[in-house]
């Protein structure tokens, strides 16, 4: 899986909002804190607002805030809001891909990859990241030195 810049920036922006909650955060504050290009951040925040994850308010005391508790927002929620489904195979959902002959089991591999992604991204919340307390299943995965190698 390739994590797009869009997804990376979106998660980082949501983490900034969660860390500042319940205060609103201006876009320029997120840009400065996370070194995200301003125009790119604006489109990301628009996508997050459309997905119901972020609220915006204009004016002198305006800015952005989360629409729900950070413990109720998973990393997968943020990625889906800005990039769509977690796993695609040639622009199709893994469960809809079919192969013939000796490649037939490959469809199951792609479904398993999606399940593995969900196993991490659906279970890590924004609150977990802000608190630097990742779920045990994630900390177990990253404790294996082999996962740090390409």
């Amino acid at each position: 899986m390739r994590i797009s810049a869009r997804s990376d920036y979106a998660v980082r922006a949501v983490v900034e909002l969660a860390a500042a909650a319940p205060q609103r955060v201006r876009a320029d504050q997120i840009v400065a804190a996370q070194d995200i290009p301003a125009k790119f951040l604006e489109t990301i925040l628009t996508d997050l607002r459309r997905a119901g994850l972020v609220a915006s308010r204009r004016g002198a005391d305006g800015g952005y805030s989360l629409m729900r508790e950070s413990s109720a927002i998973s990393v997968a929620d943020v990625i889906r809001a800005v990039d769509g489904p977690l796993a695609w195979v040639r622009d199709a959902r893994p469960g809809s891909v079919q192969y013939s002959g000796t490649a037939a089991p490959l469809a199951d591999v792609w479904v398993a990859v999606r399940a593995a992604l969900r196993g991490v991204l659906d279970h890590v919340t924004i609150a977990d990241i802000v608190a630097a307390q990742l779920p045990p299943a994630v900390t177990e995965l990253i404790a294996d030195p082999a996962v740090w190698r390409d």
Side-chain angles (χ1 to χ4, degrees):
M1 176 186 181
R2 181 180 166 274
I3 306 293
S4 71
R6 186 178 194 78
S7 286
D8 180 54
Y9 291 159
V11 173
R12 290 166 44 200
V14 171
V15 167
E16 285 294 320
L17 296 177
Q23 305 296 329
R24 280 185 286 284
V25 180
R26 293 185 327 270
D28 64 319
Q29 292 172 299
I30 298 170
V31 165
Q34 293 297 322
D35 194 28
I36 299 171
K39 288 289 187 186
F40 202 8
L41 178 64
E42 288 296 336
T43 62
I44 289 167
L45 290 169
T46 298
D47 289 343
L48 293 170
R49 189 174 44 78
R50 285 185 185 137
L53 297 177
V54 168
S56 63
R57 184 171 177 182
R58 295 179 189 245
D61 64 338
Y64 295 88
S65 60
L66 297 180
M67 292 284 292
R68 54 188 199 240
E69 294 295 320
S70 60
S71 60
I73 302 172
S74 72
V75 173
D77 293 332
V78 178
I79 292 172
R80 287 180 184 114
V82 298
D83 272 342
L86 297 177
W88 285 95
V89 178
R90 295 177 294 125
D91 296 327
R93 295 183 184 277
S96 67
V97 176
Q98 294 181 353
Y99 300 103
S100 59
T102 57
L106 185 56
D108 294 339
V109 172
W110 299 146
V111 170
V113 167
R114 179 180 60 184
L117 290 171
R118 285 178 173 174
V120 173
L121 299 176
D122 277 335
H123 294 98
V124 175
T125 69
I126 299 303
D128 294 334
I129 296 169
V130 171
Q133 294 289 324
L134 299 177
V138 174
T139 57
E140 287 173 23
L141 285 171
I142 62 174
D144 178 1
V147 303
W148 295 95
R149 294 189 296 268
D150 288 337

